Amino acid sequence: MDKATKGKRRRTVPIIPQIRPLVIQRLEAVGYRPMARLFTGPRGQRITTAVLRDATHWDEVVVALGYEHLRRHDLRHTGLTWMADAGVEVHVLRLIAGHGSLVTTQRYLHPDRRAIGEAGMALAAHLAEGREAVGPKVVPKERPQRHLRVVR
């Protein structure tokens, strides 16, 4: 690594099976040198945001898809949200993202309407289990008997 991360923290990220062959191919190409860049720009330089934008034709692609408001950084939000939806704990997501606090990581997570609907269905199923309610009773089952009468 020749450029520190924004948070100046080293981090480990998962390499999912779908991209492992590509990473292995790149490792072989650079001779497994620990300090070699696996992925480079067109002239062998570090991939900057400008290089990434140009190489992917980002501006043209998002306009053609009707997502001209989409920023490349939004993909980071999407990736972290997908991992959260897959059940990855937020404290692990914090480490993957390199965030200093859980609050920052939580700002990256954006549940969709389906996830919110599923949360409501989970609550409904939980309440329908027919088990004894836990917590304070709103209405007592039996009225307490009074031993004293108020006389006026």
Side-chain angles (χ1 to χ4, degrees):
M1 173 174 64
D2 60 357
K3 182 177 183 286
T5 62
K6 182 178 172 185
K8 310 287 188 264
R9 292 181 182 87
R10 178 179 231 162
R11 59 184 175 255
T12 302
V13 296
I15 305 297
I16 61 174
Q18 292 87 337
I19 64 170
R20 276 195 188 133
L22 177 61
V23 173
I24 290 169
Q25 178 186 11
R26 294 303 305 151
L27 283 169
E28 290 170 351
V30 299
Y32 293 91
R33 294 186 322 257
M35 296 307 290
R37 289 189 185 111
L38 292 184
F39 302 100
T40 59
R43 292 184 292 276
Q45 79 275 28
R46 177 185 326 126
I47 298 178
T48 62
T49 56
V51 167
L52 183 63
R53 182 190 63 237
D54 295 344
T56 60
H57 306 283
W58 180 267
D59 297 328
E60 296 87 5
V61 169
V62 295
V63 167
L65 292 172
Y67 293 114
E68 51 277 343
H69 63 280
L70 189 66
R71 302 163 299 146
R72 288 177 306 281
H73 190 76
D74 294 333
L75 298 177
R76 185 170 159 86
H77 288 246
T78 300
L80 290 169
T81 297
W82 284 356
M83 282 190 252
D85 289 348
V88 178
E89 299 286 339
V90 71
H91 68 279
V92 175
L93 292 175
R94 182 187 71 79
L95 295 174
I96 292 170
H99 293 149
S101 84
L102 288 173
V103 172
T104 301
T105 304
Q106 288 171 323
R107 278 187 256 157
Y108 275 69
L109 307 180
H110 309 284
D112 60 15
R113 288 183 185 187
R114 180 184 49 80
I116 293 169
E118 287 172 0
M121 295 304 292
L123 174 61
H126 176 74
L127 295 174
E129 286 180 1
R131 53 188 187 74
E132 181 120 2
V134 178
K137 307 272 189 269
V138 177
V139 178
K141 289 184 179 181
E142 296 179 16
R143 296 187 67 120
Q145 293 184 3
R146 294 188 176 167
H147 297 287
L148 301 173
R149 255 178 44 172
V150 177
V151 180
R152 292 186 185 196

